[in-house]
Amino acid sequence: MIDVMIVGAGPTGLTAALELARRGHAVRIVDAASGPFDGSRGKGVTARTQEVFDDLGIVEPLQEAGFRHLPMRVSVGGDVRFDADPAAAAVPTPDRPYESGLLLPQWRTEQILRDRLGEYGVHVEYGLTATSVDDRGDHARVAIEGDGDAAVTARYVIGCDGGHSTSRGWVGATFEGHGGPQALLIADVRVAGLTPDRWYQWTVPETGFAALCPFRTTDRWQFQGLLFQDYVDFGGLPEPTLERVQRTVDQVTGSTSIRLSDPTWMSRWRVNVRLADRFRRGRVFLAGDAAHVHSPAGGLGMNTGIQDAYNLGWKLAAVLGGDADAALLDTYAEERIPVAQWTLGMSNRGLEDMSQAVTDPAATRLMTPHEDGQQLGLGYRWSSLSSETPGFAARTGSPARAGDRAPDAPLRGPDGAATRLFDAYRGPHATVVALGDAAADGVGLSDTGVPVVTVGGPDGDLTDAAGHARQAYGSDGLFVVRPDGYIGFAGVSGDGDAARDYLARITGRP
């Protein structure tokens, strides 16, 4: 018997497998496709997902492969309305080391995840289709077709098999939402006639729109666009072909100087916004597009799926290891369904803005940044897993509350060497952070086996000379930071017993 069977090897499934494998759990990950996905589809990686990848040890190759500050040139009716880096003003801050999103093709993100997963001896098994699950109470049996049909016995199953999910039926979920008339063609192509130094976007309100986005470390660009006439003529979304994509660029730009060639991936997208009414039944969970699908506006869908897996992974590991009660798994849906609802709302607003912009002769941008598009403000204050002692905020002055993302802060060690809170949080463990007078309480929790970071005060082992940690966490705070980098418990000096009780809940360590 294995610990977890993961169905679907996109970014969500790969993240789930990596979260569990690095904790020493036996996982298998299968995918019905014959090989890795080779398209650019989900090309935006938010700042919060970069923090997740920092923890997983893959943020550096991700940064090397992606554009962080890519200028955008927007032309409307032949006039350039915008030509600048939309993230030019974004800079790293002490609490936020990744100031903006990254642009890189989805196939590259998946490759980086697969390479890291392989370091733990886990490899995707392609050409295998999970057809059904039999939940037997204390384990589940997954029927597999392909390469010698068999059944796999696992303690838990995670369905990450996309918008056309089979696993959704295993949990008895309905997929509620709506479709719509908005549509576009997508393709990965080579481009001649443009310098790969900008994300080019054109719109002619009566004709259509087109966009070409370059990538680093590859000569492929992502095309997105549609001729309005094609959509009407075909009574729906036309089949993508190189000829049709080229004609779209020619007519929208009013030029034949941009030549496209050698498509490696082509697809068509039509708006489909849906949310499963449940993310779990018994030993089977849903994550990513199997649980929620979004408009591509804002680039949040893939990121939300990755963060689903990150949330579920540490909780499953705690239960599998016998460190936490199985009730911990109930907090997965409790926390992630509201986030998915928020994401659907944000994506809908982005799609509405874009739909209006492509037909507006006065438009200056096709996509308008929305609040928290980098997902750094998302958290779980409402969760039953978020605990805060009475009067915490008033006493500490801390802007960080239980359920919030735990901010970063630069510090100095006893030897004067530079370090940061994210260095302490990195790894598959919870962390106790104690500041000021609460440092003594933190030291008292050292016997739990959980790493303890003390800042300032007579018992502090790290110094906060610039005051960044105090600014982020307050002057006298005692925190338990969950393995996924969110504050689970927030208290003050004297709350050591309450912090100990919280640790016992999520780690089983009294």
Side-chain angles (χ1 to χ4, degrees):
M1 182 187 297
I2 63 170
D3 291 324
V4 182
M5 181 71 174
I6 298 168
V7 179
T12 300
L14 291 166
T15 300
L18 182 52
E19 264 292 87
L20 291 157
R22 70 172 179 157
R23 290 173 164 83
H25 293 289
V27 300
R28 287 183 66 181
I29 178 168
V30 301
D31 198 289
S34 60
F37 176 65
D38 61 357
S40 64
R41 182 186 289 129
K43 65 180 182 295
V45 179
T46 65
R48 177 56 191 158
T49 296
Q50 290 169 64
E51 293 180 353
V52 172
F53 287 162
D54 181 322
D55 182 40
L56 296 177
I58 57 173
V59 75
E60 289 185 2
L62 197 83
Q63 290 176 316
E64 291 170 1
F67 282 121
R68 186 177 300 282
H69 293 284
L70 180 67
M72 181 183 295
R73 178 175 293 173
V74 179
S75 300
V76 180
D79 297 329
V80 175
R81 302 286 177 84
F82 183 84
D83 193 8
D85 174 8
V91 295
T93 60
D95 66 325
R96 175 180 170 163
Y98 306 110
E99 72 273 23
S100 63
L102 285 172
L103 286 170
L104 72 162
Q106 182 177 320
W107 65 261
R108 181 64 175 134
T109 298
E110 292 186 13
Q111 183 184 62
I112 291 169
L113 281 162
R114 281 197 307 274
D115 289 348
R116 180 63 167 162
L117 184 60
E119 295 176 16
Y120 294 94
V122 180
H123 303 279
V124 179
E125 299 173 62
Y126 289 104
L128 298 182
T129 302
T131 58
S132 64
V133 167
D134 179 12
D135 189 336
R136 301 187 175 183
D138 60 349
H139 69 275
R141 284 180 63 79
V142 185
I144 301 292
E145 288 184 356
D147 192 25
D149 298 352
V152 177
T153 302
R155 295 174 66 184
Y156 292 96
V157 179
I158 309 176
C160 308
D161 49 343
H164 298 288
S165 169
T166 298
S167 61
R168 205 159 41 238
W170 302 341
V171 304
T174 61
F175 210 33
E176 300 168 350
H178 66 276
Q182 296 93 341
L184 55 82
L185 302 180
I186 312 174
D188 290 347
V189 294
R190 287 195 172 99
V191 176
L194 287 177
T195 303
D197 61 352
R198 277 168 171 71
W199 183 351
Y200 296 86
Q201 301 174 10
W202 303 268
T203 178
V204 178
E206 65 276 10
T207 303
F209 71 97
L212 285 166
C213 180
F215 297 115
R216 293 180 66 184
T217 69
T218 176
D219 61 355
R220 303 288 171 178
W221 298 52
Q222 186 190 78
F223 161 87
Q224 292 180 317
L226 190 71
L227 290 176
F228 301 145
Q229 179 180 335
D230 280 350
Y231 188 77
V232 173
D233 286 349
F234 283 82
L237 189 62
E239 191 72 29
T241 64
L242 178 61
E243 179 184 10
R244 191 180 303 282
V245 168
Q246 181 68 66
R247 183 160 57 89
T248 300
V249 171
D250 291 347
Q251 293 193 24
V252 174
T253 63
S255 169
T256 58
S257 63
I258 301 169
R259 308 311 300 166
L260 312 183
S261 64
D262 196 16
T264 53
W265 172 73
M266 306 186 84
S267 183
R268 49 184 177 178
W269 174 87
R270 194 168 191 169
V271 66
N272 190 24
V273 180
R274 300 186 187 278
L275 176 66
D277 64 338
R278 59 191 305 165
F279 282 18
R280 176 193 184 189
R281 172 181 282 174
R283 292 184 171 267
V284 183
F285 296 83
L286 301 178
D289 285 358
H292 43 79
V293 292
H294 319 263
S295 125
L300 298 176
M302 179 186 73
N303 293 277
T304 302
I306 288 168
Q307 292 167 42
D308 287 346
Y310 192 53
N311 181 289
L312 179 58
W314 75 269
K315 295 173 182 177
L316 269 177
V319 173
L320 285 165
D323 297 327
D325 189 274
L328 179 64
L329 299 177
D330 294 336
T331 67
Y332 168 62
E334 177 190 354
E335 293 184 340
R336 295 308 297 173
I337 286 178
V339 171
Q341 291 170 332
W342 175 88
T343 304
L344 261 66
M346 282 281 290
S347 298
N348 284 343
R349 289 194 294 274
L351 182 62
E352 290 170 3
D353 288 350
M354 184 174 177
S355 297
Q356 293 174 5
V358 297
T359 58
D360 181 3
T364 58
R365 299 274 290 275
L366 297 188
M367 292 172 284
T368 303
H370 286 282
E371 180 183 359
D372 204 26
Q374 296 303 321
Q375 300 181 301
L376 293 171
L378 294 179
Y380 310 115
R381 288 191 182 185
W382 66 82
S383 171
S384 61
L385 206 56
S386 300
S387 176
E388 189 170 288
T389 57
F392 161 78
R395 180 167 170 181
T396 65
S398 172
R401 307 291 297 274
D404 291 353
R405 160 191 167 271
D408 195 10
L411 300 163
R412 293 282 177 181
D415 59 356
T419 186
R420 53 194 276 228
L421 282 177
F422 274 14
D423 292 334
Y425 300 159
R426 190 178 300 109
H429 54 74
T431 308
V432 172
V433 180
L435 296 92
D437 292 342
D441 297 275
V443 172
L445 293 168
S446 299
D447 63 342
T448 62
V450 174
V452 175
V453 175
T454 54
V455 182
D459 297 294
D461 59 0
L462 298 176
T463 58
D464 182 31
H468 295 304
R470 292 191 300 275
Q471 184 177 359
Y473 290 88
S475 58
D476 174 30
L478 180 63
F479 302 88
V480 175
V481 177
R482 301 171 4 170
D484 59 352
Y486 289 89
I487 297 169
F489 171 84
V492 296
S493 58
D495 285 337
D497 288 344
R500 185 180 295 272
D501 290 343
Y502 185 86
L503 281 168
R505 182 182 177 191
I506 67 169
T507 70
R509 299 172 182 173

